[in-house]
């Protein structure tokens, strides 16, 4: 079964974004590509889709581009094979600059001017135009749930699915729900019993740390809380304390740079843990560079998510992805999810080919009530509209561990790492 709400993915990323914007980076202007007149429908005219990405943002140029790159690679491969029923897919890109104003401009440009059939693999720092997309009944397929939009509006289909009513307010009464599967996995599969949660003395970081602590305690962990100063963090003191208290796991509510410093401090004080747990956004091939000063901690990095490990080239769908993206300088799990989002659209469009690839037809495919896996790349994704949130749910998990010389090594199959876990409320 699909995950109800990807707490670790969306909430942790939200913390990263808030911490990044706190540094005072300048917002660049939006960048719009391929300004041309709308393509007439029917015949052999291209099928037009849009991809909105905060490619330039306060968080940094590479933070959001993985899903876009994966989706583009899929459409390039699809077009090289003749497209959809003889029609090529024309991709319109829009960089919203990481701002709400830029996002609304992208939505207007792609929907009202370019007349795209759908949006694919949206990855936006501030999805301010989400309500406008929904009002226009444009299907938004496989977007990253950085905020609550995909659990708020109809016609928006996040990459991890949703059971929320999606009637204009987030979740149920303003609350989203997420499972404890990550914590359950490490307790059951790795025997972990004590977990450290490292955060900044900053509101967003502290709030996420409380959420992680809540989940850990629900699974019976002893929790060691480590808070460091945002401006002058003493990671060495935190690392020494979590070592003294015998932490088996380390979770964090800090940014990428802080994580690298924390890992170095853990190596410096000799802190050995079962796992330094990170999320899907950091599931990338850049680990050796990001953690170059902390070889012990680096080899204790574990990542969890809801998509098949991009290193699993024994899987046919992963091999196709890797073959199509071999020209990219780096690989990441977000690229896999962007590829899966593009495939999702292509499957929807193919089902409509006989009667016309329209927004309504594609949206109908998305609403058909059947779980979707993108050929096995995703844990089955479902969309339902439950009147009440479930108290518990069977949830499956993709897990990988970094090993120097081998990269990310999968830990069991994601469709077998499944647990019945409680669903806990939180406010987005």
């Amino acid at each position: 079964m699909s995950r109800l709400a990807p707490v670790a993915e969306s909430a942790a990323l939200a913390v990263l974004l808030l911490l990044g914007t706190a540094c005072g980076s300048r917002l660049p202007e939006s960048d719009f590509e391929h300004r041309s007149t709308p393509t007439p429908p029917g015949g052999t005219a291209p099928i037009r889709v849009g991809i909105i990405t905060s490619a330039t943002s306060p968080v940094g140029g590479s933070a959001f581009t993985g899903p876009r790159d994966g989706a583009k690679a899929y459409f390039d491969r699809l077009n090289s094979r003749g497209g959809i029923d003889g029609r090529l897919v024309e991709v319109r890109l829009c960089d919203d600059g990481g701002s709400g104003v830029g996002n609304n401009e992208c939505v207007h440009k792609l929907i009202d001017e370019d007349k795209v059939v759908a949006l694919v693999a949206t990855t936006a720092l501030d999805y301010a135009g989400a309500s406008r997309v929904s009002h226009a009944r444009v299907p938004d397929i496989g977007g990253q749930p950085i905020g609550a939009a995909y659990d708020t509006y109809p016609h928006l289909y996040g990459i991890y699915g949703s059971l929320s009513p999606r009637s204009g307010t987030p979740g149920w009464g303003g609350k989203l729900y997420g499972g404890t599967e990550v914590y359950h996995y490490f307790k059951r599969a790795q025997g972990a019993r004590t977990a450290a949660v490292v955060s900044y003395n900053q509101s967003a970081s502290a709030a996420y740390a409380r959420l992680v602590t809540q989940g850990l305690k629900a699974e019976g962990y002893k929790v060691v809380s480590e808070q460091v100063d945002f401006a002058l963090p003493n990671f060495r003191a935190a690392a020494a304390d979590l070592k003294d208290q015998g932490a088996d796991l380390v979770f964090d509510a800090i940014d990428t740079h802080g994580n690298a410093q924390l890992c170095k401090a853990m190596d410096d004080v000799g802190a050995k843990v079962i796992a330094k747990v990170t999320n899907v956004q950091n599931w990338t091939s850049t680990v050796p560079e990001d953690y170059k000063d902390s070889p012990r901690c680096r080899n204790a990095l574990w990542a969890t998510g809801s998509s098949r490990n991009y290193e699993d080239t024994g899987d046919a769908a992963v091999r196709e992805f890797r073959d199509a993206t071999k020209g990219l300088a780096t690989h990441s799990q977000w690229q896999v999810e962007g590829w899966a989002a593009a495939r999702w659209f292509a499957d929807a469009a193919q089902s409509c080919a006989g009667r016309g690839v329209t927004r309504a037809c594609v949206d109908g495919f998305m609403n058909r009530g059947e779980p979707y896996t993108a050929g096995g790349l995703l844990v089955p994704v479902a969309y339902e509209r439950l009147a009440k949130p479930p108290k518990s749910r069977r949830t499956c998990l993709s897990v990988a561990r970094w090993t120097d010389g081998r990269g990310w090594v999968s830990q069991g199959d994601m469709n077998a790492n499944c647990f019945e876990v409680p669903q806990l409320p939180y406010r987005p």
Side-chain angles (χ1 to χ4, degrees), residues 127-212:
Y127 198 178
S131 61
R132 188 172 188 168
V133 174
S134 179
H135 181 73
R137 297 177 178 268
V138 175
D140 176 345
I141 301 172
Q144 289 292 335
I146 294 168
Y150 293 98
D151 285 295
T152 301
Y153 300 106
H155 311 294
L156 274 60
Y157 306 95
I159 194 68
Y160 305 125
S162 175
L163 304 183
S164 301
R166 294 186 293 140
S167 56
T169 56
W172 293 266
K175 292 183 179 179
L176 302 182
Y177 286 73
T180 60
E181 59 274 5
V182 173
Y183 320 123
H184 187 92
Y185 170 84
F186 284 102
K187 180 178 71 173
R188 177 171 172 174
Q190 301 300 321
R193 292 293 181 269
T194 302
V197 181
V198 183
S199 64
Y200 290 125
N201 61 344
Q202 188 264 1
S203 59
S205 179
Y208 177 57
R210 289 193 295 270
L211 176 63
V212 174

Side-chain angles (χ1 to χ4, degrees), residues 8 16 29 99 125 130 135 153 199 221 262 269 305 339 367 390:
L16 169 64
E29 295 182 359
S99 74
L125 170 57
H135 181 73
Y153 300 106
S199 64
Y221 282 85
L262 174 61
V269 303
W339 173 281
N367 269 317

Side-chain angles (χ1 to χ4, degrees), residues 198 200 226-240 262 265:
V198 183
Y200 290 125
E226 304 286 353
Q227 190 172 86
V228 298
D229 186 77
F230 182 46
L232 296 170
N234 187 345
F235 287 111
R236 189 181 181 90
L262 174 61

Side-chain angles (χ1 to χ4, degrees), residues 317-342:
V318 173
R319 280 200 308 275
E320 184 179 14
F321 160 77
R322 290 297 297 268
D323 181 62
T325 58
K326 59 188 176 185
L328 296 179
T330 61
H331 282 98
S332 72
Q333 207 57 26
W334 261 16
Q335 291 169 0
V336 170
E337 293 181 355
W339 173 281

Side-chain angles (χ1 to χ4, degrees), residues 249-271:
L249 307 177
V250 177
F251 293 86
D252 70 86
I254 59 180
D255 56 344
T256 303
H257 177 66
N259 261 299
Q261 290 183 293
L262 174 61
C263 259
K264 185 177 186 306
M266 289 171 62
D267 273 18
D268 288 346
V269 303

Side-chain angles (χ1 to χ4, degrees), residues 4 24 30 43 108 162 186 210 214 226 243 254 290 314 318 340 403:
L4 176 55
S30 298
H108 169 67
S162 175
F186 284 102
R210 289 193 295 270
Q214 177 189 12
E226 304 286 353
K243 176 190 176 184
I254 59 180
D290 296 339
V318 173
T403 302

Side-chain angles (χ1 to χ4, degrees), residues 381-397:
V381 182
Y383 297 97
E384 301 178 45
R385 294 184 178 181
L386 303 184
K388 296 181 179 179
K391 294 182 179 180
S392 66
R393 185 166 172 79
R394 179 172 169 79
T395 310
C396 300
L397 192 64

Side-chain angles (χ1 to χ4, degrees), residues 35 51 247 306 309 328 344 366:
R35 294 181 182 272
I51 301 178
S306 300
N309 184 0
L328 296 179
W344 207 341
M366 300 301 297

